[in-house]
Amino acid sequence: MTRDTAGLSDRYADYWQQNLRHTQINYRHCVRNPYNHLGYSSDCWGLTASHGPRGYVASAPDTDFGVITPSAALSSFPYAPAEAMRALRGFLTKPRKRIWGRFGFVDAFCEGRNWYFRTYLAINQGPIIAMIENHQGFCGDCSWARRKCAGLGEAGLHQPASGQLNVCTAQELPRIGPGWLLP
């Protein structure tokens, strides 16, 4: 299930704006590359918690270990579609057996240390698919899901009536083949 955060807010935040800003901070930091990490660029970015050469790390601009997590960039499609697509195409230019393969993208990699985590984690693959779907809007007309999420107002979350809730089941997800990535 995915949720379009456009206009979603509570007394603490406008979640659409917060997601936009966090995505841009992440992207701009990697493009600027203040620590001169090998591989960082506009087509190779994405910082978040992941495995790293020395164990599990929480990468962010203020704690940057040189570890790129593809799911961080690719889960950003709704907030930075051009930047996320550039990252997707950039990741696919990397050697196949290093950062992507049969089950998708690896959890993380660090080109500066020639380190590539060889595990494909569902917790990373799922958000990539869901956020691409959310951006594309494939499943925005699932009225049963709208009813199930109607209780969010009781939790103090508010969204304009025009806000779209994108929810779908696995059966409703389209089959995505390699052709959809290419222009």
Side-chain angles (χ1 to χ4, degrees), residues 98-159:
R98 290 289 178 110
I99 73 159
W100 63 280
R102 180 176 177 201
F103 301 110
F105 292 97
V106 297
D107 179 45
F109 63 96
C110 179
E111 290 182 292
R113 293 184 180 203
N114 198 31
W115 177 86
Y116 302 86
F117 198 63
R118 296 303 314 146
T119 303
Y120 305 91
L121 300 177
I123 197 167
N124 290 347
Q125 306 304 319
I128 293 170
I129 294 166
M131 296 308 274
I132 289 172
E133 180 278 323
N134 198 27
H135 170 63
Q136 302 260 346
F138 288 128
C139 302
D141 193 27
C142 299
S143 58
W144 65 269
R146 291 181 199 283
R147 289 190 305 274
K148 288 198 177 280
C149 293
L152 290 176
E154 294 173 19
L157 293 165
H158 308 285
Q159 187 168 36

Side-chain angles (χ1 to χ4, degrees), residues 45-51 67-74 91 107-109 124:
W45 63 279
L47 304 176
T48 191
S50 67
H51 289 90
V67 176
I68 294 290
T69 306
S71 64
L74 302 180
F91 294 148
D107 179 45
F109 63 96
N124 290 347

Side-chain angles (χ1 to χ4, degrees), residues 44-65:
C44 186
W45 63 279
L47 304 176
T48 191
S50 67
H51 289 90
R54 295 183 181 163
Y56 203 75
V57 296
S59 295
D62 62 339
T63 54
D64 184 357
F65 304 99

